Amino acid sequence: NAGVTQTPKFQVLKTGQSMTLQCAQDMNHNSMYWYRQDPGMGLRLIYYSASEGTTDKGEVPNGYNVSRLNKREFSLRLESAAPSQTSVYFCASSRRSSGSLTGGWETQYFGPGTRLLVL
Amino acid sequence: AQTVTQSQPEMSVQEAETVTLSCTYDTSESDYYLFWYKQPPSRQMILVIRQEAYKQQNATENRFSVNFQKAAKSFSLKISDSQLGDAAMYFCAYRSLISNFGNEKLTFGTGTRLTIIP
């Protein structure tokens, strides 16, 4: 199993350009997530997807769109990149829990990250 | 909203010694999970250890153990017999539910950079 994979590993964009970050998982997980990591701020949730066909906003969704193409793939799109979007982006996935907090571990597994620089 | 605080931006420890990383959190929930993730220079986020809030027993994974104090909302990580490969950023994270589908939402602290001195 490759786990969670992300492409590209590194990208440089000019302000106003668009791009899509790709994420795929081969663990048959229902839930997928996009986080961004900025210096001194930890990871923050951008969007998540509970299952194929559903997406919801996280803590910092402005300037991003997502698509849950199928169970395996969850993409993050920047329509008009801004320097404030310079960051490291992580995709993660997890199994859907039973709905009970005591139903078992639903650990999130992370991809290797995409480093994005917007000039 | 939940918050997670790691008050030690940097820590260092001599190889083979023991080090403790601090984490506090704020929540109004009674049941939740807590995690420690390790991020080495490769940037991969690796799960180190996890704790269920309803369990009084502290979690242990080989050289890694936690001191979970629910009333104090404290969740520290102890690394025994530190090794050079332990050098990394360590993030404390809180898990809450964000939808009826049982999704996880992880709230992260700002991290502690751990240096191992040979």
Side-chain angles (χ1 to χ4, degrees):
Chain A
N1 283 350
V4 180
T5 57
Q6 293 182 234
T7 56
K9 286 189 171 65
F10 177 65
Q11 183 73 45
V12 179
L13 290 179
K14 294 181 180 177
T15 297
Q17 287 185 317
S18 63
M19 81 160 294
T20 300
L21 281 65
Q22 305 287 353
C23 173
Q25 51 89 12
D26 62 1
M27 295 176 283
N28 201 35
H29 285 168
N30 296 99
S31 304
M32 297 186 74
Y33 312 81
W34 276 106
Y35 291 89
R36 60 178 288 173
Q37 182 180 24
D38 301 298
M41 298 190 75
L43 279 76
R44 293 180 293 168
L45 183 66
I46 304 171
Y47 269 94
Y48 67 97
S49 170
S51 61
E52 183 179 349
T54 67
T55 61
D56 284 285
K57 295 179 181 178
E59 186 182 351
V60 288
N62 291 345
Y64 305 95
N65 286 304
V66 291
S67 294
R68 185 72 183 271
L69 306 170
N70 47 56
K71 191 172 186 179
R72 289 186 65 250
E73 298 171 292
F74 187 38
S75 61
L76 179 72
R77 182 161 178 83
L78 287 71
E79 291 290 351
S80 178
S84 62
Q85 294 178 304
T86 292
S87 188
V88 180
Y89 292 85
F90 287 94
C91 178
S93 71
S94 68
R95 246 183 338 140
R96 180 184 296 172
S97 75
S98 64
S100 164
L101 279 172
T102 60
W105 298 111
E106 301 303 340
T107 301
Q108 288 187 16
Y109 295 89
F110 285 81
T114 294
R115 188 175 167 208
L116 178 66
L117 175 62
V118 183
L119 302 175
Chain B
Q2 292 81 19
T3 58
V4 177
T5 302
Q6 294 179 250
S7 58
Q8 306 155 315
E10 295 183 354
M11 292 279 287
S12 61
V13 63
Q14 205 80 30
E15 192 176 2
E17 296 295 311
T18 295
V19 64
T20 299
L21 308 184
S22 301
C23 173
T24 59
Y25 58 94
D26 187 27
T27 183
S28 58
E29 298 175 337
S30 58
D31 288 316
Y32 45 87
Y33 292 118
L34 295 164
F35 302 84
W36 278 98
Y37 278 89
K38 169 185 177 180
Q39 187 180 44
S42 67
R43 294 204 310 269
Q44 182 83 35
M45 294 288 285
I46 302 166
L47 177 69
V48 175
I49 199 165
R50 53 200 178 191
Q51 174 79 43
E52 298 158 298
Y54 67 90
K55 285 188 176 178
Q56 293 186 343
Q57 186 175 4
N58 290 325
T60 300
E61 288 287 340
N62 300 315
R63 297 183 295 108
F64 298 88
S65 61
V66 298
N67 182 8
F68 174 50
Q69 303 288 330
K70 190 173 184 180
K73 296 179 182 176
S74 171
F75 182 60
S76 60
L77 175 69
K78 186 171 85 170
I79 306 175
S80 304
D81 185 25
S82 298
Q83 300 175 359
L84 294 178
D86 295 333
M89 277 291 275
Y90 286 82
F91 290 95
C92 178
Y94 174 101
R95 171 198 150 175
S96 61
L97 292 180
I98 47 176
S99 80
N100 291 329
F101 295 104
N103 281 331
E104 299 179 345
K105 174 187 182 296
L106 285 176
T107 300
F108 286 86
T110 53
T112 296
R113 183 172 302 281
L114 179 64
T115 300
I116 310 297
I117 303 167

